[in-house]
Amino acid sequence: MLTATEGKIAVQLARNTIKTYFLTGTMMDGSETELPKVFDEKRGVFVTLTENGMLRGCIGHPYPESTLKYAITDSAISAAFRDPRFPPLHIDELDKVEVEVTVLTPPERIKAAPKDLPSKIEVGRHGLIVKKGYRQGLLLPQVAPENDMDEIEFLGHTCLKAGLEPDAWLTGAEVYSFEGQIFSETEPNGEVIEKNFKKKE
């Protein structure tokens, strides 16, 4: 788990990476600044950009194969300039987008009969990965509560993200879950808070 201070640093690193790329055309790798030791640990991470409440880019590293600092900087550049769903970010938009960083736990396959999968998912706590053949789709934990999805809708939308039928989770697709720690700006360049959608115990 990251502390609130480390979460703020993570979001600032993502924003600074995009800003530096606009100014210099080069990508920061995180080594230019003094960072807490957790940034040298291998973590999965996603960077999400929103503009006026609408998604503007979201790309990341699902698995802990890179250091946190590299995963953040690489994902920030990808979310801003390489998300195929959107045109590359324009420099005029930098002060209009909110930056969000989600640090992931390693995905684990949900071991259950297909019909029992919904009961193993907690909306707000779990993100999902669905795999079948060469197709794979991922949705972050915040997607379901932000879009009022229940467990079955969440499974269906993750299948659609993978390019599969929405009921593929019932017909042999592998389903993995993970958790995420979400740090987000409250407004462009604004205060960074930790979002929590998990149910109160």
Side-chain angles (χ1 to χ4, degrees), residues 16-92:
N16 286 345
T17 299
I18 298 169
K19 185 176 181 180
T20 298
Y21 191 83
F22 273 128
L23 295 175
T24 68
T26 58
M27 181 178 144
M28 294 170 58
D29 62 10
S31 62
E32 300 88 345
T33 51
E34 282 289 321
L35 296 169
K37 287 183 179 175
V38 70
F39 286 83
D40 289 319
E41 296 177 8
K42 290 188 175 181
R43 300 287 181 95
V45 84
F46 269 72
V47 173
T48 304
L49 306 178
T50 54
E51 187 172 348
N52 298 319
M54 302 294 289
L55 184 66
R56 186 59 181 85
C58 180
I59 291 185
H61 292 222
Y63 300 97
E65 297 168 340
S66 306
T67 61
L68 179 58
K69 63 186 178 186
Y70 177 79
I72 289 172
T73 55
D74 183 63
S75 299
I77 293 296
S78 294
F81 305 107
R82 301 179 190 144
D83 190 327
R85 299 168 293 178
F86 303 97
L89 197 71
H90 191 272
I91 191 166
D92 293 341

